[in-house]
Amino acid sequence: MKKTLLIILTLCLLCGVDCSAFTKYVTNNLNLRYEANAHSYILTVIPRGTAVTIDEDCDCKWVPVEYNGYVGYISTKYLSSKPVRKTYTSRRGTSVRKVGNSSYNRHGSIRHYTNSYGNRVQSPTYYDSRPAGATALCRDGSYSFSQSRRGTCSHHGGVARWY
């Protein structure tokens, strides 16, 4: 029995299998950074609920991870041992309902905001297909009409695709 266990352990080491890895789950959309600090360059964003593998379960503030071909650091305060739901809830308490081809707020009209250039822009809205004028698809499935990349889809999980 001991020989069998020793052979299995040796094979794991020779094949590069990491027997000490831990799976954690991202609790918020999390920036994967180039260096282990909050001011470092952001490589990509790891979506909420994504499982990541870390080498050691420590009391560290930052841990190295690999995600979609990127290798960088994430903050451990946004990791959980238990799986996290990938759905988003509204922070403002405004209920959004789907009507036909798009989403409207509870008052029955599409919402708008004034951007940093002073222009009135339609807020991200759910549609069955890409609407005219949409500049980005947000990760929660809504379409953004932003005229600037800065802050686009910030309350909708980030940008999934630019148009």
Side-chain angles (χ1 to χ4, degrees):
M1 182 68 171
K2 288 183 180 180
K3 270 188 173 181
T4 306
L5 185 59
L6 184 60
I7 290 171
I8 292 172
L9 184 59
T10 304
L11 286 174
C12 285
L13 292 173
L14 290 175
C15 295
V17 176
D18 189 0
C19 300
S20 65
F22 295 90
T23 300
K24 297 287 185 174
Y25 300 90
V26 177
T27 59
N28 289 325
N29 289 336
L30 187 56
N31 294 329
L32 179 65
R33 297 193 177 267
Y34 183 73
E35 295 175 336
N37 67 64
H39 303 290
S40 178
Y41 176 77
I42 298 170
L43 299 171
T44 190
V45 176
I46 302 174
R48 173 190 169 128
T50 302
V52 294
T53 303
I54 60 173
D55 291 331
E56 61 178 295
D57 196 14
C58 64
D59 289 332
C60 312
K61 290 185 178 184
W62 296 86
V63 291
V65 297
E66 185 273 329
Y67 174 75
N68 277 358
Y70 293 99
V71 177
Y73 293 87
I74 58 174
S75 174
T76 57
K77 66 180 169 181
Y78 301 106
L79 296 178
S80 170
S81 299
K82 298 178 183 176
V84 177
R85 292 178 54 197
K86 292 186 178 185
T87 57
Y88 296 90
T89 55
S90 173
R91 294 182 191 177
R92 295 185 179 97
T94 303
S95 62
V96 176
R97 58 186 169 91
K98 253 189 153 169
V99 178
N101 211 18
S102 64
S103 291
Y104 297 87
N105 65 16
R106 64 180 138 177
H107 304 294
S109 61
I110 295 177
R111 292 182 288 186
H112 291 79
Y113 66 95
T114 302
N115 67 11
S116 59
Y117 300 115
N119 299 328
R120 187 169 185 253
V121 179
Q122 181 177 330
S123 295
T125 308
Y126 295 95
Y127 288 91
D128 294 331
S129 61
R130 181 181 167 199
T135 56
L137 172 64
C138 300
R139 286 199 175 131
D140 69 350
S142 62
Y143 288 88
S144 173
F145 300 85
S146 179
Q147 297 173 351
S148 166
R149 287 186 173 227
R150 187 173 188 160
T152 300
C153 300
S154 60
H155 295 285
H156 297 271
V159 173
R161 182 180 309 136
W162 291 102
Y163 297 116

